[in-house]
Amino acid sequence: MINVGDKLPEATFSVLTYEGMENPTTADLFANKTVVLFAVPGAFTPTCSESHLPGYVVLADQIKAKGVDSIICLSVNDAFVMQAWGEMQNANELIMLADGDGSFTKAIGLGKETGSFGGYRSSRYAMIVKDGVVTHLNVEPEKTFGESSAETMLELL
Ligand code: BEZ
């Protein structure tokens, strides 16, 4: 599993913006930037929709006021699903990032097999990344929520 002090691996993601489908790489998203990335097991799932994502929407301005260039919500879903979820949640200040094939999630060792629920998915976690290097990492124990919340990450900034 990736740890504090490690550099994020190279990967290519998908994101659907007003300009259309884009495929940013790790370097595009993280080089020379301070980024808060949080990851969820699935778009539209209960804790993710009722608590995790809304917390970041509400605190986005406060998080960015601490010098954060971007806030990324990542899931092993496709970019159309991520865009629709973000639009429904008014997450226009966030990057709704699709790790469609789970390759980034696998490379950092923060995924899990959920079987008939949805196959390979991300664990729930949040990290602060400076110029591609992880400076804080909070992974939620199974079926809990708090360590990766927007409130917790704001306190760490
Ligand atoms: C939830 O967000 O509550 C959730 C995510 C994945 C599976 C089940 C529930």
Side-chain angles (χ1 to χ4, degrees):
M1 188 181 100
I2 195 157
N3 253 308
V4 168
D6 292 343
K7 199 164 171 56
L8 292 180
E10 256 319 306
T12 302
F13 305 89
S14 301
V15 59
L16 186 60
T17 71
Y18 291 114
E19 278 86 51
M21 188 67 77
E22 295 176 5
N23 293 109
T25 63
T26 306
D28 295 330
L29 293 162
F30 296 96
N32 304 311
K33 289 178 187 158
T34 297
V35 178
V36 172
L37 180 153
F38 69 100
V40 299
F44 294 99
T45 57
T47 307
C48 311
S49 281
E50 288 158 21
S51 305
H52 209 174
L53 177 54
Y56 281 93
V57 171
V58 168
L59 293 180
D61 286 340
Q62 288 183 55
I63 289 171
K64 288 186 174 177
K66 297 268 188 183
V68 170
D69 297 293
S70 39
I71 303 168
I72 295 176
C73 174
L74 179 145
S75 183
V76 182
N77 280 117
D78 67 64
F80 293 99
V81 167
M82 292 301 282
Q83 189 275 336
W85 189 39
E87 190 169 300
M88 181 184 240
Q89 296 264 348
N90 296 313
N92 33 357
E93 287 199 61
L94 276 57
I95 297 171
M96 301 300 291
L97 194 66
D99 181 23
D101 63 0
S103 57
F104 172 80
T105 300
K106 272 186 199 127
I108 63 171
L110 282 172
K112 57 187 178 180
E113 184 49 58
T114 70
S116 61
F117 168 74
Y120 185 77
R121 294 297 181 101
S122 179
S123 299
R124 191 185 301 285
Y125 66 88
M127 55 172 66
I128 300 171
V129 185
K130 294 193 176 164
D131 195 18
V133 175
V134 179
T135 61
H136 295 80
L137 174 62
N138 283 7
V139 183
E140 299 281 359
E142 204 53 39
K143 294 191 166 67
T144 68
F145 174 65
E147 288 293 297
S148 65
S149 71
E151 290 83 354
T152 302
M153 301 315 279
L154 183 58
E155 280 170 19
L156 292 173
L157 284 162

PDB file of all heavy atoms in Angstrom, residues 41 45-48 117 124, ligand 1:
ATOM      1  N   PRO A  41     -15.992   4.034  -2.566  1.00  0.00           N
ATOM      2  CA  PRO A  41     -16.250   2.726  -3.189  1.00  0.00           C
ATOM      3  C   PRO A  41     -17.195   2.802  -4.382  1.00  0.00           C
ATOM      4  O   PRO A  41     -17.183   1.912  -5.226  1.00  0.00           O
ATOM      5  CB  PRO A  41     -16.891   1.907  -2.055  1.00  0.00           C
ATOM      6  CG  PRO A  41     -16.602   2.645  -0.804  1.00  0.00           C
ATOM      7  CD  PRO A  41     -16.454   4.091  -1.175  1.00  0.00           C
ATOM      8  N   THR A  45     -23.550   5.751  -4.005  1.00  0.00           N
ATOM      9  CA  THR A  45     -23.781   4.824  -2.885  1.00  0.00           C
ATOM     10  C   THR A  45     -24.073   5.638  -1.614  1.00  0.00           C
ATOM     11  O   THR A  45     -23.749   6.824  -1.542  1.00  0.00           O
ATOM     12  CB  THR A  45     -22.571   3.891  -2.674  1.00  0.00           C
ATOM     13  OG1 THR A  45     -21.411   4.698  -2.460  1.00  0.00           O
ATOM     14  CG2 THR A  45     -22.355   2.989  -3.873  1.00  0.00           C
ATOM     15  N   PRO A  46     -24.705   5.018  -0.615  1.00  0.00           N
ATOM     16  CA  PRO A  46     -25.295   5.808   0.473  1.00  0.00           C
ATOM     17  C   PRO A  46     -24.338   6.736   1.231  1.00  0.00           C
ATOM     18  O   PRO A  46     -24.564   7.945   1.290  1.00  0.00           O
ATOM     19  CB  PRO A  46     -25.891   4.738   1.400  1.00  0.00           C
ATOM     20  CG  PRO A  46     -26.135   3.575   0.521  1.00  0.00           C
ATOM     21  CD  PRO A  46     -25.070   3.604  -0.523  1.00  0.00           C
ATOM     22  N   THR A  47     -23.280   6.209   1.840  1.00  0.00           N
ATOM     23  CA  THR A  47     -22.392   7.065   2.637  1.00  0.00           C
ATOM     24  C   THR A  47     -21.691   8.083   1.753  1.00  0.00           C
ATOM     25  O   THR A  47     -21.483   9.246   2.149  1.00  0.00           O
ATOM     26  CB  THR A  47     -21.348   6.201   3.382  1.00  0.00           C
ATOM     27  OG1 THR A  47     -22.042   5.198   4.112  1.00  0.00           O
ATOM     28  CG2 THR A  47     -20.506   7.022   4.323  1.00  0.00           C
ATOM     29  N   CYS A  48     -21.340   7.665   0.559  1.00  0.00           N
ATOM     30  CA  CYS A  48     -20.644   8.554  -0.375  1.00  0.00           C
ATOM     31  C   CYS A  48     -21.533   9.723  -0.776  1.00  0.00           C
ATOM     32  O   CYS A  48     -21.076  10.858  -0.888  1.00  0.00           O
ATOM     33  CB  CYS A  48     -20.223   7.773  -1.621  1.00  0.00           C
ATOM     34  SG  CYS A  48     -19.386   6.232  -1.234  1.00  0.00           S
ATOM     35  N   PHE A 117     -21.344  -7.041  -5.721  1.00  0.00           N
ATOM     36  CA  PHE A 117     -21.748  -5.632  -5.547  1.00  0.00           C
ATOM     37  C   PHE A 117     -21.301  -4.799  -6.730  1.00  0.00           C
ATOM     38  O   PHE A 117     -22.072  -4.009  -7.274  1.00  0.00           O
ATOM     39  CB  PHE A 117     -21.160  -5.049  -4.248  1.00  0.00           C
ATOM     40  CG  PHE A 117     -21.314  -3.550  -4.179  1.00  0.00           C
ATOM     41  CD1 PHE A 117     -22.541  -2.978  -3.914  1.00  0.00           C
ATOM     42  CD2 PHE A 117     -20.225  -2.716  -4.437  1.00  0.00           C
ATOM     43  CE1 PHE A 117     -22.695  -1.590  -3.888  1.00  0.00           C
ATOM     44  CE2 PHE A 117     -20.372  -1.331  -4.406  1.00  0.00           C
ATOM     45  CZ  PHE A 117     -21.618  -0.771  -4.130  1.00  0.00           C
ATOM     46  N   ARG A 124     -12.273   3.406   0.863  1.00  0.00           N
ATOM     47  CA  ARG A 124     -12.572   4.795   1.184  1.00  0.00           C
ATOM     48  C   ARG A 124     -11.352   5.410   1.884  1.00  0.00           C
ATOM     49  O   ARG A 124     -10.911   4.906   2.925  1.00  0.00           O
ATOM     50  CB  ARG A 124     -13.796   4.854   2.110  1.00  0.00           C
ATOM     51  CG  ARG A 124     -14.359   6.272   2.285  1.00  0.00           C
ATOM     52  CD  ARG A 124     -15.493   6.298   3.297  1.00  0.00           C
ATOM     53  NE  ARG A 124     -16.624   5.458   2.973  1.00  0.00           N
ATOM     54  CZ  ARG A 124     -17.550   5.735   2.046  1.00  0.00           C
ATOM     55  NH1 ARG A 124     -17.457   6.858   1.375  1.00  0.00           N
ATOM     56  NH2 ARG A 124     -18.550   4.909   1.815  1.00  0.00           N
TER      57      ARG A 124
HETATM   58  C1  BEZ B   1     -21.845   3.413   1.040  1.00  0.00           C
HETATM   59  O1  BEZ B   1     -21.377   4.430   0.556  1.00  0.00           O
HETATM   60  O2  BEZ B   1     -22.589   3.466   2.009  1.00  0.00           O
HETATM   61  C2  BEZ B   1     -21.542   2.082   0.411  1.00  0.00           C
HETATM   62  C3  BEZ B   1     -20.502   1.981  -0.504  1.00  0.00           C
HETATM   63  C4  BEZ B   1     -20.245   0.746  -1.068  1.00  0.00           C
HETATM   64  C5  BEZ B   1     -20.994  -0.351  -0.730  1.00  0.00           C
HETATM   65  C6  BEZ B   1     -22.018  -0.224   0.160  1.00  0.00           C
HETATM   66  C7  BEZ B   1     -22.305   0.992   0.743  1.00  0.00           C
END
